Amino acid sequence: MGMHQFFKSLSNLETIYRAPGFFKYQKHSVAEHSFKVAEIAQFLGDVEEHAGNQINWRLLYEKSLNHDYNERFIGDIKTPVKYATADLRKMLANVEDSMKDNFIKNEIPAEFQSAYERRLSEGKDDTIEGQILAVADKIDLLYESFGEIQKGNPEDVYTDIYKESLTTIVKYKDMPSVQYFLEKVLPELLNEEFTDQLKLEKISRTIIQ
């Protein structure tokens, strides 16, 4: 038993597309999302460290790179469905955990299983690294939705995704990295020219205030 199946499975993440079931101009795979979240988390970690907070970089990279790996087992389920009820969300999480545990037991060499149990477990927790992951995940989702809005996608779902993403980010506004994003990055995004620019500016101001 080597790492062949794990390495092979990484290609599966390239064929699982996010926001399934909705018209989109630009598709984003889980593999692409994981890379972008890792890059965003890296910068947010820089900001936190610059503000005097200690970052466990190994943990941050592991969390951000692997946070959606388990979607290879059940795919990316529509957000309205995934969060329809607490019971359904719990059942889906249990299925993912069970399949993840079986995969680690059957495909990962015994001496590395504890490492992959850590890497493939839920990364969004109360640690600063877990909070950075939660924010980075929503920042990438915000950019994905913004890209569709900017291109004139008529689907209302992307405005809803933008609102939900920014609302979640604002919940972490006490973090220096989130303050930096809200004060330095988001205004640049909103200054780009697109049809619904004023509408999105108003939505953003309302959520932040």
Side-chain angles (χ1 to χ4, degrees), residues 1-4 6-7 58 62 66 100-101 103-121:
M1 178 167 53
M3 292 293 289
H4 164 66
F6 178 78
F7 293 158
R58 175 180 176 175
E62 287 186 346
N66 297 289
K100 177 259 295 180
D101 291 341
F103 178 77
I104 292 174
K105 180 181 178 181
N106 296 320
E107 303 297 345
I108 303 296
E111 62 268 34
F112 303 119
Q113 287 182 4
S114 61
Y116 279 87
E117 181 62 42
R118 181 183 69 248
R119 289 168 182 165
L120 302 185
S121 295

Side-chain angles (χ1 to χ4, degrees), residues 38-53 55 57 60-61 132 176-177 180:
E39 289 284 352
I40 295 167
Q42 178 177 251
F43 177 72
L44 298 179
D46 286 336
V47 176
E48 293 294 331
E49 200 169 61
H50 188 265
N53 293 317
I55 301 297
W57 286 97
L60 181 60
Y61 284 127
I132 289 173
S177 56
Y180 187 98

Side-chain angles (χ1 to χ4, degrees), residues 89-104:
R89 178 60 181 156
K90 185 177 180 180
M91 285 190 290
L92 290 171
N94 288 340
V95 170
E96 272 193 356
D97 283 342
S98 177
M99 297 184 75
K100 177 259 295 180
D101 291 341
N102 287 333
F103 178 77
I104 292 174

